[in-house]
Amino acid sequence: DFFEKDMKKLIILATAMLIAGSFQAKADNDRIIKFNELPAAAQQFTQKYFPNEKVAYTKMERDFLEVQYEVMFSNGSKVEFLKNGEWKDVDCKYNSVPAELVPAQIASYVEQNYKGAAIVQIDRDTRDYEVKLTNGLELTFDLRFNIIDIDD
């Protein structure tokens, strides 16, 4: 009985330490970095497509084996980059995503089907492209630019 109580306390203590350690590890995953610490491709992208925007901060995010970067502009726009500096997500909040970043097939689809709506966010990954329009719609395209989902 005495041994059982001690074991319960030990298990509870070990669990608490594990949980506390995981919170600590999570807190260390994001850190503010200097703009020149971004991968060169991310720096060039930012300077090319957002030359007139003031950078509010740049951040490195680390999740287990994956590293990503984020550039936040003072106007609220944000760009997320993969560890190699390629863009993953461009969120312009209140402005249009630079037209050069939108594949022609997606731009054409939006123009034909949603006249007057602008693309304010584009997100790409290994499976698809997702775009958010000023009218609130979210469109998902496969990698061949076929529309596969529409969310309102």
Side-chain angles (χ1 to χ4, degrees):
D1 202 31
F2 177 75
F3 177 74
E4 195 174 302
K5 285 182 182 176
D6 278 351
M7 282 304 291
K8 282 183 180 177
K9 286 181 184 175
L10 187 62
I11 290 171
I12 290 170
L13 179 64
T15 303
M17 288 175 66
L18 241 165
I19 291 170
S22 68
F23 282 125
Q24 181 61 37
K26 181 66 179 154
D28 291 341
N29 288 346
D30 293 1
R31 73 179 175 88
I32 301 295
I33 61 172
K34 293 184 175 118
F35 182 80
N36 64 7
E37 294 179 75
L38 288 171
Q43 291 179 46
Q44 292 162 0
F45 177 95
T46 303
Q47 292 162 344
K48 178 177 180 178
Y49 295 106
F50 298 93
N52 301 319
E53 297 300 332
K54 183 177 180 337
V55 174
Y57 65 83
T58 51
K59 181 167 72 169
M60 182 179 77
E61 301 171 343
R62 187 182 301 268
D63 288 327
F64 298 111
L65 303 174
E66 194 173 315
V67 173
Q68 293 190 353
Y69 299 91
E70 180 178 295
V71 175
M72 179 63 86
F73 299 101
S74 51
N75 71 353
S77 295
K78 171 177 79 169
V79 181
E80 294 176 12
F81 297 96
L82 300 173
K83 68 180 172 190
N84 64 1
E86 285 188 27
W87 71 270
K88 177 193 175 323
D89 183 36
V90 178
D91 185 353
C92 292
K93 298 266 188 245
Y94 314 108
N95 302 307
S96 296
V97 168
E100 306 86 21
L101 299 179
V102 180
Q105 300 93 322
I106 293 175
S108 176
Y109 180 90
V110 170
E111 175 63 28
Q112 288 172 12
N113 295 283
Y114 303 101
K115 277 243 185 285
I119 297 172
V120 292
Q121 182 177 2
I122 185 166
D123 184 332
R124 68 178 182 179
D125 60 30
T126 57
R127 297 180 319 274
D128 57 31
Y129 284 84
E130 293 178 16
V131 296
K132 185 180 281 187
L133 306 180
T134 49
N135 65 8
L137 287 179
E138 293 183 21
L139 312 175
T140 305
F141 297 85
D142 65 18
L143 295 178
R144 291 193 207 114
F145 309 111
N146 298 305
I147 186 83
I148 55 175
D149 191 28
I150 300 175
D151 286 330
D152 51 4

